[in-house]
Amino acid sequence: MASVAVNLQTERYVYRFGGGVSDGGNGDKNLLGGKGANLDGMAGIGLPVPPGFTISTAMCTRYYDEGGAFPDSLRDEVASGLRHIEQVTGKRFGDAADPLLVSVRSGARTSMPGMMDTVLNLGLNDQTVAGLAAVSGDARFAWDSYRRFIQMYADVVLELDHGAFEDALEIAKEDRGVSLDTDLTADDLRELVTTYKGLVEEQWHKPFPQDVHDQLWGAIGAVFGSWQSDRAKVYRRLHDIPGSWGTAVNVQAMVFGNMGDTSATGVAFTRDPSTGERAYYGEFLINAQGEDVVAGIRTPQYLTKAARERAGAKAASMEEALPETYAELARVFDLLETHYRDMQAIDFTVQQGKLWMLQTRAGKRTAKAALKIAVDMANEGLITQDEAVGRVDPAALDQLLHPTLDPNAPREVIAKGLPASPGAASGRVVFDADTAEKRAAAGDAVILVRVETSPEDIHGMHAAKGILTARGGMTSHAAVVARGMGRPCVSGVGSLTIDAKAKLFRVSGKEVREGDIVTIDGATGEVMLGEVATVQPALAGDFGVLMGWADDVRRLKVRANAETPLDCRTARRFGAEGIGLCRTEHMFFDASRISAVRQMILAEDEKGRRAALDKLLPEQRSDFAEIFEIMAGLPVTIRLLDPPLHEFLPHEEAEYAEVAEASGVSVETLKRRAAELHEFNPMLGHRGCRLGITYPEIYAMQARAIFEAAVDIAIKTGEAPIPEVMVPLVATRRELEIIKALVDAEAKAVFAEKGKTLDYLVGTMIELPRAALRAGEIAEVGEFFSFGTNDLTQTALGVSRDDAARFLGAYVEQGIYPKDPFVSLDTEGVGELIQIAAERGRATRTNIKLGICGEHGGDPASIAFCEAAGLNYVSASPNRVPIARLAAAQAAMRK
């Protein structure tokens, strides 16, 4: 035990940077977090970075393991880190004459904008504020910094009511008859500090902490603590970030953007994060601190003159107001993009004309921008084509595969703001995140309308189809998070007056209430009343180029789950290489044929069933012919009837009477037959191949329809389709043997009648654990396996996907499953069954074709598993085919 304690004591947790010092870490984001690694990297290439130190992510893990306590060794390391900052800056922490102030920021491995906590201006107290005023020669700046520090510390560390401090600030401005914080004088701010300290004592029951070291350790603990905040947990769940990673803490010398008209703060991107255009993009505020820009409290100014002119804004851009500093910043942009070989998002501060770099990281971007940036950088020679394929998140492509506003559709524009995140969305107006989440869960499309969003709104932003804010710029919290989520966002609609209590907003003389429908266009900044018509996306240009590069490297084929002509055309347009699942039961529900289906089910004998099936045969043949023609030359996997028969029967009294009349039977007879078919657990009952065993005439009709359609299309087009007849819910070799004999007999008969043969396969869907385990003997009969991962997950886990939503969230939250197993494949349990079946199937039939056709076929993580398992193809919904193509390419490159 003693040796373990020594090892813990001697483990290093603090790494210094800046001032010519770098303690290593080699840019390791796992150790230093993204922010710490990049601060060290920027300092290493000679950029102006305020000195500081990083407390590693390993300390975060230990902090939670030890109940929120810090080891003594860390206190010694932090003291050494402070001495480093003091030596570089020439200031001392807590010195009443010339105080060192620091910022304390989080820094996870991957960017989590706004989700964790920050404290600025730390080190101010009633003595050091006077020293700061004297040494800076600006009392207003000193007291502004002190009031900001108290407000932020009270919120982040002491967890007091943030609103009370905001109210006090608004009252102070009203009392002085001013509208901006910057209009308050030094005396006004001194009085506000007194008010703030009173609020702290009133709510915390202790005076505001004056010891600067107590302040520092409180802030470090708060930043580590924010890793487990509700908003951080939601963000991690939405972006698949493991809770075990933890965050680093960065302590850095403060530089000040609020020291007058030659000082400023800003957020910038080396390329446009909305479009990907190679143009500097960003915003800044003169005489401000960084939180003012991202919080959306003040509407910032544009970075470049061109952007200002495009927007028709009057306030000077940074390029015009601070031309020399802007020129230096532009040089830094180019240096950072070349160094990191990716589009960078940058935080900077200008202190009395001197530029300081506070952060750089790979910038959050829309899918459209990600595509353009990746393709452009490959064409520029900055990265390879394979790297370009790896740079685009497959799931983000979903943003591009949905409709956009029809430019010719009528629209009533009622307001215009900033185009903060592209895309269009229509939905019912809601004014808070909880309502957005609740109404979205009930099936409503909603638009979240806020004065400005905060990190606490993350769950509502995710639930909403789009986000609209009255304040904030294009680098505000709302804009950055919306772009990362792929949600359209219009921000900074200054004409919008929101009455959250009355649940309405007013604009252009109109009143819009909660529940009313509006449309927003995040590409133009327009806000419209009502719903505006949409058009389908065009998948050309950069999209087509990147997909071509992806197709060059992927091994897995990509098919689509489709049974309607529209879905088949969509799938083919998106690059599907066949149909992996055509569900025939959906065709039976068509209004023109449900009557015949019900007659078949209600028939008392085979003769009655065949009479009804004779009516259905031409309908089925027509269905298959249309699909075969669209998918000419490609494999089409058709699943024979799967669901239990009771699903086709009526449920309402009026329907019973209608069906009884059409069928020529009494309502009583109909109800008796329905009662006979009733099952307590129909998903494990008389369905799938069990229908084919007991009612072989059903499968015989479907097989005949398949082969007649296939031969007709082969003759008509000269390009033979490749039917793959899939038998569902097989558990034993004998079941498949019986059904295959039936299918082969129908094929032989049709080929003889038509005088033409064609190739086809008969296989099965592996969706039961027994089938996976007995795959070797089933492969003696089956020529292909398609893993129905929806049902295989249900039967392997003993969990109903229709009912599991009420508890699976808690299971994921507590780490029982890393993700919802119906969204992303349970690779340990269900995955092992798939691997067993694949191995045993190949041992029997070396050329057996293997694929998956559950919803997991469009999930990138599940596709990576399929690549590793050596399957031949995945099948996804038509709109997710491009996602699957890109994910398959990335999986192949990783392998």
Side-chain angles (χ1 to χ4, degrees), residues 79-156:
S80 174
L82 278 173
R83 285 194 295 274
H84 162 65
I85 301 174
E86 289 172 338
Q87 288 166 5
V88 176
T89 62
K91 298 176 183 289
R92 282 194 309 110
F93 192 52
D95 181 5
D98 187 7
L100 167 67
L101 304 187
V102 297
S103 63
V104 182
R105 290 184 168 95
S106 62
R109 293 189 199 182
T110 187
S111 177
M112 295 172 58
M115 294 303 113
M116 289 180 293
D117 288 329
T118 293
V119 179
L120 304 178
N121 305 316
L122 191 143
L124 281 171
N125 58 27
D126 293 349
Q127 285 73 47
T128 57
V129 68
L132 183 63
V135 77
S136 67
D138 187 344
R140 191 207 169 279
F141 151 71
W143 287 99
D144 181 47
S145 299
Y146 195 16
R147 73 92 185 167
R148 289 171 181 271
F149 170 54
I150 296 173
Q151 186 171 355
M152 192 173 280
Y153 197 90
D155 177 29
V156 170

Side-chain angles (χ1 to χ4, degrees), residues 663-790:
S663 307
V665 298
S666 67
V667 171
E668 290 70 26
T669 301
L670 182 59
K671 288 185 175 180
R672 174 181 59 77
R673 182 67 175 140
E676 290 171 358
L677 290 171
H678 172 74
E679 296 181 82
F680 288 103
N681 192 348
M683 293 313 295
L684 297 179
H686 192 190
R687 54 167 286 215
C689 68
R690 297 159 194 174
L691 292 172
I693 298 292
T694 50
Y695 304 128
E697 57 275 10
I698 297 176
Y699 278 10
M701 180 277 290
Q702 290 193 297
R704 173 165 283 273
I706 290 169
F707 294 119
E708 286 182 351
V711 172
D712 288 348
I713 294 303
I715 295 169
K716 176 181 176 181
T717 67
E719 196 169 11
I722 310 167
E724 297 180 349
V725 182
M726 183 158 68
V727 182
L729 212 73
V730 161
T732 71
R733 179 189 186 281
R734 180 61 179 151
E735 285 171 318
L736 185 58
E737 188 175 48
I738 293 170
I739 304 298
K740 185 176 187 298
L742 180 153
V743 172
D744 287 342
E746 290 296 329
K748 184 177 180 181
V750 170
F751 295 161
E753 293 163 14
K754 299 275 188 179
K756 182 176 178 60
T757 63
L758 46 74
D759 293 331
Y760 69 95
L761 300 176
V762 178
T764 185
M765 183 179 272
I766 302 288
E767 49 196 325
L768 297 174
R770 189 186 195 282
L773 296 173
R774 306 305 298 171
E777 61 189 41
I778 292 173
E780 293 170 4
V781 180
E783 296 164 303
F784 68 87
F785 289 165
S786 180
F787 294 97
T789 52
N790 299 343

